[in-house]
Amino acid sequence: MLYLIQRYANDAATPAEQKELSDFIADSPDDELFTEALMEQMERHPSTDGDVRAFEGIADQALLLSRLNRPETLPAMPRRRHIQPWVWAAACALVLVIGGVYLGRYSRSGHTVVVSAPPKPASTVISPGKNGAILTLSDGSTIALDSLGNGKIATQQGSDVFIRQGKLTYAAASASSGEPAYNTLSTPKGRQYHIQLPDGTEVWLNAASSLHYPTLFSGADRVVDVTGEAYFEVAKDAAHPFKVRLGKSQIDVLGTNFNVNAYNNEPAIATTLLEGSVRFSTGDGKSQLLKPGEQTRFDQATQALTLTDTVTTSSVVAWKNGIFDFNNMGLREVMQQLERWYDIDVKYEKKVPKISFYGKMTKNIQLADLLTILERSK
């Protein structure tokens, strides 16, 4: 087994060896044997902390072996030496750790996952989301960015618009006069995208989200509008405060890194600060100053504004890094993430069961495999 893993990790495995490894993963009743072999290989690999890309393919297959029930009862590995945290993370942090689940039937028509019992894997191939978006220019015309290569794609008032290494960027063009032009970057379900605004601010848009912004910041304030979820790394410019409008609510920043989740179908608007300082304000006059590591939640039904300092920021922004991080999440919250990433609709045949999810897994996995993980984790 170790030999096959080594061959696979080094891209040297023959088709027959790949099939042998795949068959073992699919058929072996001994999860610990595979995990032990995988971790043995990873500890021998000269890698920096957190660099597990060489083993993502193996880890994705290892997902199918997970039958863990609780995060606090991880299986004891019979090892004499200390296992470094990144090794364990690479071997099983990409595993969905579930405290029991009844997730089930997949319908071929309509791309609908029906939550029921008993669980069964998906029968139709639904691939994970990818990099892509739709750019709406100031004249209302649209450009699909999914398959465009590097180069200039448009000229807007005050800026030239480029795609550079899969990222939308704006560069100052000739001097302009009159009202600023506005563009909108929208990500459908199953897409996410990265943009650099004209001031140098970096924004990552999650699936089913949008960013409305000027093609040239020329006023006293830098103002953008967001729906859905976005992660910001704001370019510092104390003379021109940066503001993010979320309908009637607003986030005021100077230079900072933060995440905002403002989906219309979520119960609350969540603002999480990683670095710097921001102030979240509601339309009725409530406001809250955040420090790094804090999160505000504005309940869209009760209008209550709360602050917590116990949030795990890495979990909040895991989506940007290609990871599902289900940290004590309920079933409905988890399925909302899957709806957006796989472009599916989820229907509940009965009352939504009270199920807690724990752990992490790569987002680069087909829906059928994900449902298989859920089925084998029950």
Side-chain angles (χ1 to χ4, degrees):
M1 176 51 53
L2 179 57
Y3 169 77
L4 291 176
I5 291 175
Q6 289 172 333
R7 297 274 293 173
Y8 189 99
N10 294 328
D11 292 325
T14 65
E17 290 170 335
Q18 292 180 21
K19 184 178 186 304
E20 183 180 354
L21 177 61
S22 178
D23 289 345
F24 175 84
I25 294 171
D27 300 335
S28 174
D30 187 358
D31 292 358
E32 289 191 9
L33 177 60
F34 178 84
T35 306
E36 175 72 8
L38 173 61
M39 294 174 67
E40 179 77 26
Q41 165 66 3
M42 295 184 70
E43 285 195 300
R44 292 183 179 183
H45 184 265
S47 176
T48 57
D49 193 33
D51 181 9
V52 299
R53 287 173 295 178
F55 297 92
E56 282 185 348
I58 301 174
D60 286 345
Q61 295 183 63
L63 290 170
L64 303 180
L65 298 174
S66 175
R67 296 193 184 102
L68 307 178
N69 291 321
R70 301 291 299 178
E72 59 268 23
T73 57
L74 293 174
M77 302 303 295
R79 308 193 62 79
R80 296 182 180 179
R81 61 187 182 278
H82 174 67
I83 299 173
Q84 296 184 24
W86 78 266
V87 176
W88 177 253
C92 71
L94 295 183
V95 173
L96 185 62
V97 185
I98 307 170
V101 66
Y102 297 93
L103 237 186
R105 195 170 63 251
Y106 181 81
S107 171
R108 286 180 179 271
S109 61
H111 291 265
T112 300
V113 171
V114 181
V115 177
S116 60
K120 294 184 181 298
S123 56
T124 300
V125 175
I126 298 296
S127 298
K130 62 182 181 180
N131 199 48
I134 297 172
L135 176 64
T136 302
L137 302 177
S138 57
D139 62 1
S141 61
T142 60
I143 303 175
L145 306 181
D146 292 38
S147 58
L148 292 183
N150 292 334
K152 182 177 175 179
I153 62 172
T155 297
Q156 295 288 273
Q157 186 168 343
S159 294
D160 290 328
V161 189
F162 296 85
I163 291 181
R164 291 171 175 158
Q165 297 181 334
K167 176 174 69 174
L168 192 68
T169 66
Y170 286 75
S174 58
S176 62
S177 59
E179 293 296 320
Y182 282 84
N183 288 178
T184 300
L185 184 67
S186 305
T187 50
K189 283 184 176 181
R191 299 290 186 272
Q192 63 184 47
Y193 211 76
H194 181 191
I195 177 175
Q196 183 182 67
L197 296 175
D199 67 336
T201 292
E202 304 275 351
V203 186
W204 287 258
L205 276 185
N206 204 350
S209 303
S210 70
L211 177 70
H212 183 68
Y213 53 93
T215 58
L216 184 67
F217 290 107
S218 57
D221 298 332
R222 298 171 288 164
V223 183
V224 301
D225 294 86
V226 167
T227 64
E229 185 167 23
Y231 175 76
F232 286 82
E233 292 183 356
V234 178
K236 295 182 179 181
D237 184 354
H240 300 89
F242 196 94
K243 302 177 185 294
V244 180
R245 294 189 301 208
L246 312 164
K248 295 181 179 180
S249 301
Q250 181 171 292
I251 301 171
D252 295 273
V253 306
L254 290 176
T256 187
N257 300 345
F258 66 97
N259 191 87
V260 57
N261 184 316
Y263 287 109
N264 292 330
N265 62 348
E266 296 281 6
I269 296 175
T271 304
T272 308
L273 182 64
L274 283 76
E275 179 182 319
S277 178
V278 303
R279 179 177 293 277
F280 180 88
S281 303
T282 68
D284 59 1
K286 301 185 185 76
S287 69
Q288 178 65 59
L289 184 68
L290 281 78
K291 296 184 295 186
E294 294 181 337
Q295 180 185 84
T296 60
R297 293 184 64 84
F298 178 58
D299 191 297
Q300 301 193 71
T302 67
Q303 303 291 290
L305 181 62
T306 58
L307 176 71
T308 178
D309 60 2
T310 58
V311 64
T312 303
T313 56
S314 61
S315 297
V316 174
V317 300
W319 65 267
K320 181 178 76 71
N321 301 318
I323 297 292
F324 286 122
D325 192 330
F326 301 140
N327 184 17
N328 195 24
M329 285 188 183
L331 176 61
R332 188 182 294 276
E333 187 177 4
V334 169
M335 295 310 294
Q336 283 177 332
Q337 291 195 29
L338 301 188
E339 280 186 304
R340 295 171 192 139
W341 188 235
Y342 290 97
D343 191 10
I344 60 173
D345 293 317
V346 175
K347 295 182 179 179
Y348 301 88
E349 288 190 331
K350 299 180 180 180
K351 184 178 180 180
V352 180
K354 293 183 178 179
I355 299 169
S356 294
F357 290 73
Y358 302 84
K360 307 177 185 179
M361 65 179 296
T362 177
K363 292 172 69 176
N364 187 27
I365 181 174
Q366 291 186 354
L367 181 62
D369 294 334
L370 185 145
L371 293 182
T372 298
I373 298 163
L374 298 180
E375 179 184 15
R376 297 187 64 176
S377 301
K378 66 182 184 293

